[in-house]
Amino acid sequence: MVSEHRDNRGEKIPNIKLVAVQWGILLLMLALVAGLWRLQVLGAQNFRSLAEQNRIRKVPVLAPRGKLFDRDNRLIVDNYPSISCFLVREQGHNVEADLPLIAKGLNLDLEQLRATIRRYRAEPGYQPIPIKQDMTADESAFVAAHRNELPELETIDEERRLYPRDGYAAHLIGYVGEVSEDDLNNPRYATYEPGDVVGKAGVEETYDALLRGQDGARDVIVDSHGREVGYLGTQHAIPGKDLNLTIDNDIQKAAELALGPREGAVVAMDPRSGEILAMVSHPSYDPNDFAVRINRAAWSKLVTDPMHPLMNRAIQAQLAPGSTFKILMSLAGLQEGIAQDFKVVCNGGATFYGQFHACDHHHGLVDIEHAIPWSCDTYFYTLADRLGIDTIAKYAHEVGLGERTGVDLPNEAAGVVPSTEWKLRNYHEKWYAGETISVGIGQGPVTVTPIQLARMISGIASDGHFVRPHVVDPAQLPPEFRSALYDSFPGSGVATVPLDPANWMIITEGMAQATSPGEFNTAFASHLDGIDFAGKTGTAQVASHAALKLMKGVDTKPNGWFVGVIPRRNPEFVVCVLFQHGDWGSNAARLATYVAAAYVDKQRRLEHNILEQAGQTKPVEVGALWSNPDGKGGFQGGHFVVDPAAGLQMAKSGKNTPQGLKPQSDSAKLTHGLKPVPSALADEVQPAMIVPRREDLH
């Protein structure tokens, strides 16, 4: 009995364990109730939203990019309607199995399509993947026909860039392209997503934030298979801002035609405001190749081309300025009080520090008044030796050389102004006095860009008033964007350098004499009868004499420079021409005359206001250019009186005069005096006839 009693007592569960189990069950039940409360009450709205997202898809509505116009509101860059295809991964559909059919129907390379999808693997599943841009009608029909079996494909209407053909103003305008992975790692592109289209160069890059607009979205109801069954609403896109560039299409066309297939650059600017009227860089490229998506072969060809077509030579070509640098040397010599009474005897060169430095001519006795138009190397060798490299560098920096101008285009180069400190910092060597001699004629380590040279010459001719070049008028920009723009493009900008009036007169008079006929005047090829066109040529070797002897299979002809202003003092127009391997600066000067003539002719047409006078009976005075009728190349120019009552007939009649145009007296007939260009250039330089068109009178 005792034993049985002990066994029953051992099987009984202790009260403490029973209480623990009961509390455990209670806590578990409370946890379940709390979870149900959180799911069904507290999280109801959240899960309701998730459920809505399962049946509502946001389809992006892409904003049209802002258009670009010239200063006269003439369209330069437009948009055209296009359809793009995206792949949506949130369908619970086996996308991988459909890729061969998608690639075949959309004319895509299968491996490239797979690489595109792998690139977006880390992105959220709801983000569409762009796989085909600018679809053809057949490709759009393929997507529509396979809507049921390929629900992951979506098409979006968008507007795509349409640029001028033949690389017209390509480096100034730039191009657009898909944002790259490197871009996305840049804080500047923090708000961008893979697949977004951004500006990649030129104005397109600088003003991308204004041009791109703000995308919208369309809420589409889809079924369990991802098929669209209705619409809920649309958030409309905000179009990008249209911009007026400062360039003048008439002058831009003249500059493009003048430079033609040659390697080089042209910059035309209003020195009073800094507005760029024309900017050309050749060789060029077609921005339309980038408007969709450039293929690897085409991109590789561009970046490996030894002619560097993607390089904007107007702001990036850092080359020795040659004799155009003598304007800066003259400024330094006069401002330092040295050049006024400084004379040298040029016997074809001079010896400095044991080395003979040659000059192109035996000029005899040379003073500053003749040194500029004659471009006497011996004079400027000697002047450079008197000034010293640091004094030269001081004045070069004052006029903006050796630093960016601040033009509102990306990747501007700064050029080089040598000095004792510069050589010590870069080469850890001292500067030798003999090195200064070459700098005095714009050779040696000194380099400039065309836009720097245009700003320098125009500032000196403007009595020391230097401007910031720009291609978009800041007045049309929001204040906060304008402020950020100046911070993003630092440079020499607007500055005033006090010039002695007498020195200013000497320099500008020397530039005017350089373009006048004369035995030693180096820029006479740019002479225009009746136009106060002053300037300076430059011929710069591409390497030292010793290096030239070793260079095989490379064009070693010197680079030709010319920079000119209209008029000689306080100019309203400046043009700079770089003719790479052009042999002589006079060849660059000859090209500049076509740009200058286009500017002058347009100003005269505007001043005479042909549109208003066409309905009157009094004659209208105009200027004109036309090809020589003998077919031997070259052009002739004239000043004519148009009788509106007789109408304008643009076909040529007689020997030299366009029909309907009556020449004035011989003394007033030639206002341009454009001489026929040499036969080597005549076939290439063919600017259009600059005459009023019949449609201009209506």
Side-chain angles (χ1 to χ4, degrees), residues 432-473:
Y432 295 96
E435 298 176 276
T436 308
I437 308 305
S438 295
V439 174
I441 62 167
Q443 295 282 178
V446 59
T447 63
V448 301
T449 64
I451 197 168
Q452 283 179 324
L453 201 56
R455 179 182 179 274
M456 181 193 84
I457 297 295
S458 62
I460 293 174
S462 299
D463 197 17
H465 174 62
F466 294 81
V467 295
R468 177 193 293 268
H470 56 272
V471 299
V472 172
D473 186 357

Side-chain angles (χ1 to χ4, degrees), residues 89-96 98 148-152 225:
R89 295 168 290 173
E90 52 178 344
Q91 302 297 336
H93 191 76
N94 186 5
V95 174
E96 183 66 30
D98 293 338
N148 291 333
E149 55 187 305
L150 298 175
E152 63 268 28
H225 298 287

Side-chain angles (χ1 to χ4, degrees), residues 610-633:
I610 295 174
L611 295 179
E612 291 184 7
Q613 296 189 32
Q616 302 175 12
T617 57
K618 65 180 182 179
V620 180
E621 186 181 355
V622 299
L625 297 176
W626 62 92
S627 302
N628 282 333
D630 56 12
K632 295 182 179 180

